[in-house]
Amino acid sequence: VVDTKVDLADAMVQQGFNDALVDEVLVTLEPVRAEVLCRSRDVYKTAEIKNGKSLLDRFGGDLNLETIVNSMYDRCTQDSRVQFHFEQAVAKQRQMRRRMYQYLSGAFGGPVQYEVSQLRPVHFTMNITDYHFDVVADCFCDTAREMGVQEDVVKEAQEVINRVRADVTTGCTVRMELAKAKTEEEGVN
């Protein structure tokens, strides 16, 4: 995982700022870092209730969410940027669609049917980058818009989806950082 605190600290030191100021800036920014990056880590928090309705209700309910997930999945199988993650045997496709729906249903305020703690181990070996995550999230949001979901509801859904970004992309990020460190240490052949 790229540590933005270290990058900021290095940049400040290179610009001649003293260590005390660097530490003070890092401590001051830490509480808002996740929000600035639009990457809230509160993956267990469900979407807000607005006007007495959960995000799931504002999406049109379970059936509408399930339809959006299935349409999004179909879109992903046609998108050359991510199709290799989605082109699976029929039984595996059904399982992936069901689990995605189950996670989103719970995250959007419906009954919790999928344990969030399973996201990281399940995705760890899949080499999913932030780029791939963004493509899938965009496919979901585009599908929701086409199905008539209001823009403010789509944006809120995207915020909820972004909460699990690190859980989905960590495996690839760890391997890339290890490879980078090894290359820096050993040099390029």
Side-chain angles (χ1 to χ4, degrees):
V1 174
V2 175
D3 191 345
T4 54
K5 293 184 294 186
V6 173
D7 294 339
L8 176 61
D10 290 345
M12 290 180 71
V13 168
Q14 289 172 3
Q15 293 298 315
F17 293 102
N18 66 43
D19 290 340
L21 179 60
V22 171
D23 288 343
E24 187 176 333
V25 168
L26 293 178
V27 168
T28 302
L29 291 178
E30 183 58 29
V32 297
R33 184 166 60 116
E35 288 181 35
V36 168
L37 296 172
C38 296
R39 295 182 181 171
S40 169
R41 288 297 302 137
D42 193 359
V43 297
Y44 294 99
K45 180 183 172 196
T46 60
E48 292 181 34
I49 303 289
K50 292 185 179 173
N51 297 324
K53 290 185 175 185
S54 69
L55 181 58
L56 180 61
D57 292 334
R58 288 179 276 135
F59 246 82
D62 278 319
L63 186 57
N64 208 34
L65 177 61
E66 188 173 6
T67 301
I68 291 169
V69 167
N70 283 324
S71 296
M72 180 232 40
Y73 193 101
D74 292 339
R75 183 178 288 212
C76 287
T77 63
Q78 301 301 312
D79 191 318
S80 62
R81 300 171 295 173
V82 293
Q83 69 189 148
F84 49 91
H85 289 296
F86 291 87
E87 290 179 330
Q88 305 288 331
V90 173
K92 182 69 174 174
Q93 283 187 27
R94 275 195 299 267
Q95 178 188 43
M96 289 170 64
R97 289 172 194 249
R98 184 178 72 248
R99 288 189 178 160
M100 190 175 295
Y101 158 75
Q102 289 172 336
Y103 163 70
L104 291 173
S105 176
F108 289 0
V112 175
Q113 304 171 49
Y114 186 85
E115 185 57 46
V116 175
S117 64
Q118 294 301 309
L119 285 170
R120 188 173 299 227
V122 165
H123 292 92
F124 194 82
T125 61
M126 294 184 185
N127 285 327
I128 300 171
T129 64
D130 281 318
Y131 174 78
H132 297 129
F133 186 94
D134 289 337
V135 169
V136 173
D138 288 345
C139 285
F140 177 83
C141 292
D142 291 344
T143 302
R145 286 181 191 102
E146 289 173 10
M147 299 271 310
V149 176
Q150 295 176 351
E151 186 61 29
D152 62 320
V153 175
V154 172
K155 285 184 180 185
E156 188 176 347
Q158 192 163 25
E159 289 174 18
V160 171
I161 291 167
N162 267 325
R163 292 180 190 156
V164 296
R165 174 185 296 273
D167 294 300
V168 173
T169 62
T170 293
C172 185
T173 304
V174 166
R175 282 187 293 285
M176 288 190 312
E177 289 298 316
L178 290 172
K180 179 181 173 186
K182 184 177 180 182
T183 301
E184 289 173 354
E185 182 180 302
E186 297 175 4
V188 178
N189 291 337

